[in-house]
Amino acid sequence: AKAKNGGETSGEPKGPGALDQAVVSGVRTSRNDSRDVKFEQFSISVHGKQLFEDCDLELNYGRRYGLIGLNGSGKSTLLSVLAARMVDIPEHLDIWHLHTEAPPSDRSAIESVIDVVRDEQKRLEALEEKILEEEGGDSPHLELIMEKLEKLDPATFEKRAGELLHGLGFTLEQMAKKTKDMS
């Protein structure tokens, strides 16, 4: 599929809110089998407001990045665009996007991440049922949802959540710590 101004997208349904109105383009210059992702001419605009224009965007495997900018400058939109794969990101790369920090509770960090994935699985299953009822089994959206559900293998939730937290710098002790005891 193509974005409104010609950039490659994955063709997956967009998320709610601002992404419905986002115009995203970019040319991936990294190899399809690379763990690094590089884009040239990367642009995002929302409601006609240009957030990024003809930028080079490079995300290298194993690196951590921080986004600094004023409110409304596009930091969250950039992360949402990448998570929604609105640009050509190879399928072998996992993207985990937690929209908010875990609320203080008796749940551990790893349990909190698993909860987010379980909630996404339930949301996709409900959406699958709704599409089957309203559009039938031939809906193009149904195939995308079924692919996502297949990737969300419950047997791998804990392992993948641990990998995510480890990648963010969490130790095993921190992963087991209750979120109410974190600062």
Side-chain angles (χ1 to χ4, degrees), residues 21 23 28 54 84 102 123 136 172 174:
Q21 301 299 316
V23 178
R28 182 171 48 88
D54 291 330
R123 185 189 73 80
L172 290 175
Q174 291 169 325

Side-chain angles (χ1 to χ4, degrees), residues 133-150:
E133 289 173 9
E134 294 176 4
E135 299 177 33
D138 294 334
S139 171
H141 296 107
L142 191 59
E143 185 178 333
L144 294 170
I145 291 166
M146 291 172 73
E147 285 176 16
K148 284 185 174 188
L149 281 169
E150 194 173 304

Side-chain angles (χ1 to χ4, degrees), residues 2 8 41 43 51 53 72 100 108 116 118 123 130 132-133 141-142 145 148 159 170 179 182:
K2 297 272 186 186
E8 292 292 326
Q41 301 171 337
S43 299
L51 300 175
E53 186 171 9
T100 57
S108 69
V116 169
R118 279 200 182 110
R123 185 189 73 80
K130 181 180 177 187
L132 280 170
E133 289 173 9
H141 296 107
L142 191 59
I145 291 166
K148 284 185 174 188
K159 177 184 178 284
F170 279 66
T179 59
M182 296 180 183

Side-chain angles (χ1 to χ4, degrees), residues 50-141:
Q50 197 71 41
L51 300 175
F52 299 90
E53 186 171 9
D54 291 330
C55 299
D56 290 341
L57 177 65
E58 184 172 335
L59 301 171
N60 295 305
Y61 178 78
R63 291 299 223 12
R64 295 186 186 137
Y65 297 91
L67 301 177
I68 300 172
L70 297 173
N71 288 343
S73 64
K75 301 178 300 291
S76 295
T77 301
L78 171 64
L79 295 175
S80 296
V81 160
L82 295 173
R85 295 181 185 268
M86 293 177 69
V87 288
D88 182 29
I89 297 174
E91 286 298 318
H92 71 274
L93 298 176
D94 289 329
I95 299 174
W96 293 71
H97 182 212
L98 302 177
H99 303 277
T100 57
E101 62 184 58
S105 74
D106 287 328
R107 307 284 292 159
S108 69
I110 199 159
E111 289 170 332
S112 295
V113 172
I114 292 169
D115 290 346
V116 169
V117 179
R118 279 200 182 110
D119 289 347
E120 176 65 2
Q121 181 184 24
K122 288 176 189 173
R123 185 189 73 80
L124 288 171
E125 287 170 345
L127 186 57
E128 178 183 34
E129 285 181 33
K130 181 180 177 187
I131 289 172
L132 280 170
E133 289 173 9
E134 294 176 4
E135 299 177 33
D138 294 334
S139 171
H141 296 107

